Amino acid sequence: MADEAPVTLITGASRGIGQAIALRCAKENQQLVLCARSVDALSATLEGCHQTGAPEPLCIGMDLERSDLIPALFQDIFKRYGRLDGLVNNAGILHEGLLGMIRPEEIDRVLAINIKAPLMMIQYAARLMTRRKTGSIVNLASIMGVRGAAGLALYAASKAAVVGMTLSAAKELGPKGIRVNAISPGFIATDMTAGLPEAACAARLASIGMGRAGTPEEVADVAGFLLSNAAAYITGQVIGVDGQMTV
Amino acid sequence: MNDIATNDKVVSAFAQVLGIPAAQITDDLRYASIPQWDSIAHMAVISALEEQFAIMIDMDDVIDMNTVGKAREIVRKYGVEV
């Protein structure tokens, strides 16, 4: 069993940071479970994984707003592999809207995908990881979770929750040998940030000490490190990847 | 013969995790009715049952498992004969 490829579940693996993390893990020969809204959306990630020679990834199409599907996902992982070594809670949706312009149903959807789904993923992942008394969970937070920004109250609230979730889970799961950390990306060039208005993009770039947006690969490098044994003594940390946006 | 020796695998899992003699574990034993079966021990009991029977128990069942008898009923749901 110990010689088998480590199993890592990555949500939101179809593009951007999630895709970069998947490709990085594939290069390390991990057995990946890739999750996105549809299996078709994972085709580019899958092709990249094939080029690495990693074990054939398991591709799962599911909308994370459907929390009722999460238990079945973990039952499937348990039946196929009997183990889970890593979880990357990457999937999330960005919501932009001033306080007076947020519909209640938008709040429900953002909280379902950005908070409820990762929390349930942690619940089930911890159960599988407990069996081997080891595992690493990486949650994608955001610089907005601690700094906030006008027009991002809903998104920022959801990412602040991810930080609290990470710290609490780290305390609860540390005695079981399971590490839980978060990455707090700054302004990263992805489809998600490409959707921001030009003025908002310019303002954010101006606030970055290093003078440029980060790349998904730069975030993936940190995720890969946190998943690996090189980070064996690191838990309960929120690591900024922001090119000196916060200091 | 040690205190946890029993042919009943459900009772055995509870006895090992809770650290009490198998003879004291009946189907009526209830969650939180003894100091040994607290919330932390409950999760350890779940792990022990999952390990013992090579199953993965759903969250609703974890929460519903409030007696040893209920635990037996739940593991049966997963196709285990106990």
Side-chain angles (χ1 to χ4, degrees), chain A:
Chain A
M1 198 75 163
D3 294 335
E4 290 175 7
V7 179
T8 300
L9 167 61
I10 302 168
T11 67
S14 62
R15 55 191 178 157
I17 292 171
Q19 183 181 62
I21 294 171
L23 296 179
R24 192 185 191 286
C25 291
K27 283 176 189 161
E28 292 174 358
N29 208 38
Q30 296 185 28
Q31 171 60 62
L32 297 179
V33 180
L34 305 174
C35 197
R37 271 178 222 172
S38 74
V39 170
D40 287 348
L42 287 165
S43 60
T45 306
L46 194 57
E47 195 180 322
C49 290
H50 286 158
Q51 289 170 7
T52 67
E56 181 66 23
L58 172 63
C59 293
I60 306 288
M62 64 184 282
D63 183 344
L64 289 177
E65 197 171 8
R66 290 280 311 277
S67 60
D68 58 311
L69 300 177
I70 293 175
L73 167 65
F74 282 87
Q75 288 286 359
D76 193 15
I77 292 170
F78 172 65
K79 283 177 186 157
R80 285 171 188 266
Y81 311 115
R83 63 188 279 183
L84 184 68
D85 303 85
L87 164 66
V88 181
N89 272 318
N90 166 73
I93 52 173
L94 178 66
H95 177 277
E96 275 225 293
L98 296 175
L99 282 168
M101 307 268 293
I102 305 173
R103 295 176 198 277
E105 53 269 33
E106 291 174 329
I107 298 176
D108 290 340
R109 179 159 170 79
V110 171
L111 300 192
I113 293 173
N114 290 8
I115 303 177
K116 187 177 181 184
L119 182 56
M120 288 186 68
M121 293 275 179
I122 292 172
Q123 284 184 297
Y124 278 92
R127 300 258 307 283
L128 282 178
M129 291 171 175
T130 297
R131 293 162 185 256
R132 296 167 56 90
K133 296 183 173 55
T134 183
S136 175
I137 296 170
V138 179
N139 299 319
L140 269 291
S142 166
I143 196 170
M144 292 305 155
V146 287
R147 296 193 74 187
L152 287 180
L154 175 52
Y155 179 74
S158 73
K159 290 302 184 179
V162 170
V163 173
M165 186 190 306
T166 300
L167 302 180
S168 300
K171 288 184 176 180
E172 196 170 317
L173 299 176
K176 297 179 177 179
I178 301 167
R179 298 181 292 104
V180 189
N181 294 287
I183 296 174
S184 184
F187 193 63
I188 308 297
T190 64
D191 290 351
M192 185 186 271
T193 53
L196 288 172
E198 202 173 313
C201 273
R204 280 174 201 154
L205 281 173
S207 70
I208 300 171
M210 293 182 75
R212 66 171 178 86
T215 67
E217 290 72 24
E218 286 168 330
V219 180
D221 282 341
V222 179
F225 166 70
L226 290 172
L227 288 170
S228 75
N229 282 336
Y233 201 53
I234 299 176
T235 191
Q237 303 300 311
V238 181
I239 299 178
V241 182
D242 60 24
Q244 197 249 291
M245 208 172 179
T246 46
V247 176

Side-chain angles (χ1 to χ4, degrees), chain A residues 71-72 74-75 78 120 123-125 127-128 130-132 172 176, chain B residues 40 43-44 46-47 50-51 54-60 62 78:
Chain A
F74 282 87
Q75 288 286 359
F78 172 65
M120 288 186 68
Q123 284 184 297
Y124 278 92
R127 300 258 307 283
L128 282 178
T130 297
R131 293 162 185 256
R132 296 167 56 90
E172 196 170 317
K176 297 179 177 179
Chain B
I40 293 171
M43 294 313 296
I46 297 296
S47 293
E50 288 183 329
E51 186 86 13
I55 57 175
M56 186 177 183
I57 300 170
D58 278 346
M59 204 62 67
D60 286 343
V62 171
Y78 293 84

